[in-house]
Amino acid sequence: MNDEQIAWVNNTLESMTDREKLHQLFCLVTYSDDEEYCRHLSETVQPGGVMGRVMKPDQCANAVSTLQRHSRIPLLIAANLEAGGNGVVSGGTAVCRPMQAAATGDVKFARRLGEVCGVQGSAAGVNWSFAPIIDIDYNWRNPITNFRTFGSNAETVGGMGEAYVREIQRHGVAACIKHFPGDGCDERDQHVSTSVNSLSCEEWDKTYGAVYSRCIAAGAMSVMVGHIMQPAYTKRFAPDISNGEILPASVNRALVTGLLREQLGFNGVIVTDSTAMAGISLVMPREDMIPLTIAAGCDMFLFTKNMEEDLAFMERGFEKGVLTRERLDEAVLRILAMKAALGLPEKQASGALCPDADRLKRAIAEPLYKQWERECADRAITLVKEEKGVFPILPQRFPRILFCPLDKNGNNADEKTPNGKFMRALERAGFNVTLFEAQNVTEGSMTSVSEMTSRYDMIIYSALVRARYQPVARIDWSSPQGANIPTLCHTIPTVFVSLESPYHLVDVPQVRTYINCYNGTQSVIDALMEKLMGKSPFTGISPVDAFCGKWDAATSLGPPIDFEKYNKGEA
């Protein structure tokens, strides 16, 4: 910061009432451009920041403009820019998910991700990105880290995370590395349960610690702290603590102040993860938890359950001395300093905080970014297992396909869904595609094997399974008796495609041809079709153990299908 910015920080802090300081600790949320609500936030509540959920371009520009125009102190405007500009505005480029970038083996895609998020985010008025995710996906059972991470290799995660941080901050958007002290060890999702990073201090230093140190050294301006316990480091900083007293990082002074501030030397803004999550709500009464997050060393409190009540809880904690004046002023000083470092006071004075809808539309229409999206889709798709002879998949070889879509809502092949788009792409390519429908039958009356082989030349599974406030991201098979389980994979050529989670082989280990795509955008569907039909090679390298440590998943059981005879109708 320059002298003028430092003076602005000090003068602003001195001018603030206790109420203004306490409210500055909050980052709230808006889902729309409702003018009355946005003005209420800026003029009456006066938070330090507001996160914008995805809106249409005109709505997004209007919401941010209303918020900034009516705020005395310029606002941090945040967004989940994890995979592209689509994290803040509909139509924004979905350039790639983190695991897609990692599957290319090329750090330039993380850098491109940072550029797209920076350019399109800043055009939308965003100055704070809740990304990159630098969790390490060590546990395949974890339902929420999954494709949102750069994989299970700490070196890869650190390199990709650093590239994103450096690039997005070149465009005036602060990066927020998350979720400290590191998700991906546990199989629990902090949205629904407090989770645990179970590594020893030495193991943590070599992995998560190395990744955080690398991104901090790259200049990351903020860190998001998760509702994740780290017992080893908690006990190092608090040797007398009992297991029952260990708290998640978001309310744990040993981790936030001791480990992150003092040991890692981070001096930027620390924000909690969403406090609407069960991972923090489960550990203590909310009235106690709210001021304790700031007392522990966090600077900002993300979201509320009931805005008026949570604001009152913070104020009451200050009155009781749970949150001291010294800690309050320190937190607000850091918030103001980040705003100054981003040039927000100057932009407020010039009117540049209010985004221009036309500029935003031009940014999201940038053809180069769509080209990058297509290139990453092509480079990332990973052929994990291949039955020799199955490729190329052409209408001349496999004219009749049974298509089995898998998702949390049943066999959904609506044309608006990725599964539906995949099915339509197969039809456009000349295949005769039949959508799987479970028959309400029991043992003794199921469709015969000979009837299935007479009807279909190939079975294609398309999985679109992700967890949303659920403890697992696993396939939910159809009734009766798992009717769509690939039991014919040794009889009819079968290809299993996952559009999201890379870990489905744990549930279908006998499948011989398995593909991970990490995403279900139209660009991915297009690239997938090119590869299935032999027009493009598979080049992706799995950033995780797609076999989930299961020896049988890496083995093809049973005799191989004789494709020469099969294609002549003799098998």
Side-chain angles (χ1 to χ4, degrees):
M1 290 189 296
N2 58 37
D3 291 342
E4 288 185 4
Q5 290 171 329
I6 293 171
W8 177 85
V9 171
N10 292 328
N11 293 337
T12 303
L13 183 64
E14 290 176 7
S15 73
M16 297 172 73
T17 65
D18 287 344
R19 179 185 180 278
E20 287 176 321
K21 291 177 182 178
L22 289 163
H23 287 206
Q24 192 75 192
L25 303 174
F26 286 81
C27 181
L28 304 177
V29 65
T30 183
Y31 286 80
S32 76
D33 63 340
D34 181 83
E35 185 168 355
E36 183 178 352
Y37 175 72
C38 291
R39 286 194 64 166
H40 173 69
L41 286 184
S42 293
E43 293 179 339
T44 305
V45 182
Q46 299 177 312
V50 176
M51 179 182 177
R53 294 297 188 183
V54 179
M55 304 178 209
K56 295 177 180 178
D58 289 329
Q59 293 173 319
C60 181
N62 188 48
V64 175
S65 295
T66 303
L67 288 164
Q68 294 286 27
R69 194 163 42 241
H70 296 284
S71 182
R72 182 175 81 85
I73 300 172
L75 289 161
L76 292 169
I77 301 295
N80 271 341
L81 299 177
E82 297 178 1
N86 61 325
V88 66
V89 60
S90 57
T93 306
V95 60
C96 65
R97 284 178 173 155
M99 195 167 284
Q100 269 184 283
T104 69
D106 192 337
V107 74
K108 78 178 180 185
F109 287 99
R111 192 160 45 247
R112 287 177 172 182
L113 176 59
E115 177 175 332
V116 173
C117 291
V119 170
Q120 296 185 348
S122 60
V126 172
N127 49 48
W128 195 12
S129 171
F130 287 161
I133 295 173
I134 55 172
D135 296 322
I136 308 174
D137 208 37
Y138 283 134
N139 193 328
W140 65 265
R141 293 180 178 87
N142 189 300
I144 192 66
T145 50
N146 206 285
F147 54 72
R148 296 174 70 208
T149 73
F150 290 113
S152 60
N153 180 279
E155 180 66 25
T156 299
V157 173
M160 295 273 175
E162 177 187 353
Y164 179 102
V165 167
R166 291 187 184 279
E167 187 59 38
I168 196 168
Q169 292 189 170
R170 285 201 321 110
H171 300 280
V173 180
C176 185
I177 50 180
K178 63 183 185 183
H179 307 82
F180 184 85
D183 210 347
C185 286
D186 204 338
E187 63 187 60
R188 290 170 288 189
D189 172 8
Q190 58 176 317
H191 288 82
V192 296
S193 177
T194 311
S195 61
V196 178
N197 181 309
S198 56
L199 299 185
S200 69
C201 295
E202 293 72 25
E203 291 170 330
W204 190 90
D205 289 344
K206 293 176 183 177
T207 55
Y208 292 93
V211 172
Y212 271 90
S213 294
R214 188 167 180 176
C215 290
I216 290 169
M221 298 177 76
S222 64
V223 172
M224 180 177 287
V225 173
H227 314 311
I228 303 166
M229 294 186 280
Q230 216 297 325
Y233 258 115
T234 299
K235 291 183 177 182
R236 173 169 289 187
F237 284 99
D240 297 328
I241 198 170
S242 68
N243 286 346
E245 295 173 310
I246 294 173
L247 293 171
S250 40
V251 282
N252 188 326
R253 181 175 174 79
L255 297 179
V256 177
T257 300
L259 180 55
L260 181 55
R261 284 278 187 227
E262 297 173 1
Q263 184 164 312
L264 295 184
F266 180 68
N267 197 36
V269 168
I270 298 176
V271 60
T272 71
D273 204 343
S274 168
T275 61
M277 291 180 179
I280 193 170
S281 300
L282 288 167
V283 299
M284 65 178 68
R286 193 164 184 86
E287 182 173 359
D288 298 335
M289 174 269 287
I290 287 177
L292 190 58
T293 60
I294 310 302
C298 296
D299 303 308
M300 294 195 80
F301 186 88
L302 183 58
F303 306 156
T304 58
K305 278 200 166 183
N306 180 285
M307 185 166 63
E308 291 183 1
E309 183 178 62
D310 283 1
L311 291 167
F313 285 160
M314 187 71 81
E315 292 169 359
R316 203 171 304 162
F318 177 65
E319 293 166 2
K320 291 179 178 180
V322 177
L323 173 58
T324 66
R325 180 173 297 280
E326 180 183 16
R327 177 78 269 274
L328 173 62
D329 284 351
E330 181 184 51
V332 175
L333 186 71
R334 283 201 173 92
I335 296 166
L336 295 175
M338 189 164 90
K339 293 181 178 185
L342 290 168
L344 302 193
E346 297 92 330
K347 291 178 180 179
Q348 183 183 53
S350 67
L353 288 178
C354 298
D356 177 80
D358 290 335
R359 177 188 165 220
L360 174 57
K361 291 173 184 176
R362 289 194 299 272
I364 64 177
E366 171 56 56
L368 176 62
Y369 296 158
K370 289 301 293 183
Q371 178 184 323
W372 287 357
E373 178 187 337
R374 290 189 295 268
E375 185 178 345
C376 189
D378 175 68
R379 292 273 301 276
I381 295 174
T382 306
L383 179 60
V384 179
K385 287 175 70 174
E386 175 187 5
E387 181 169 21
K388 299 301 180 184
V390 73
F391 295 118
I393 299 172
L394 301 169
Q396 301 94 310
R397 299 186 67 210
F398 307 102
R400 301 165 303 169
I401 291 177
L402 177 63
F403 186 77
C404 301
L406 304 168
D407 63 24
K408 286 290 185 181
N409 301 310
N411 301 322
N412 188 356
D414 181 276
E415 60 184 15
K416 294 181 180 179
T417 69
N419 280 340
K421 291 176 182 178
F422 184 17
M423 181 175 170
R424 301 303 179 276
L426 289 167
E427 291 173 335
R428 287 195 300 272
F431 296 96
N432 181 358
V433 183
T434 301
L435 178 65
F436 170 85
E437 294 184 13
Q439 303 298 313
N440 189 21
V441 295
T442 58
E443 298 95 329
S445 57
M446 296 178 177
T447 305
S448 68
V449 172
S450 59
E451 186 173 351
M452 292 295 289
T453 57
S454 69
R455 288 183 186 176
Y456 307 113
D457 305 299
M458 173 169 280
I459 303 175
I460 292 182
Y461 285 82
S462 179
L464 188 77
V465 180
R466 67 182 303 184
R468 187 118 180 121
Y469 308 116
Q470 297 296 326
V472 294
R474 304 282 286 275
I475 298 167
D476 189 7
W477 301 109
S478 297
S479 296
Q481 300 185 17
N484 53 348
I485 293 174
T487 54
L488 293 172
C489 63
H490 301 300
T491 306
I492 300 176
T494 299
V495 174
F496 193 108
V497 176
S498 176
L499 299 177
E500 299 215 329
S501 173
Y503 298 119
H504 289 313
L505 266 176
V506 73
D507 289 320
V508 290
Q510 286 75 34
V511 167
R512 295 165 171 175
T513 302
Y514 179 92
I515 299 165
N516 276 328
C517 296
Y518 318 104
N519 208 338
T521 62
Q522 187 62 57
S523 293
V524 169
I525 300 299
D526 293 343
L528 174 64
M529 288 298 299
E530 292 281 303
K531 296 178 189 304
L532 293 178
M533 300 181 74
K535 299 177 182 179
S536 169
F538 289 93
T539 58
I541 302 170
S542 182
V544 295
D545 175 14
F547 304 111
C548 308
K550 308 296 184 183
W551 65 266
D552 56 326
T555 305
S556 294
L557 304 179
I561 295 173
D562 187 328
F563 280 95
E564 185 175 350
K565 290 184 177 180
Y566 194 92
N567 289 321
K568 293 178 180 179
E570 298 173 3

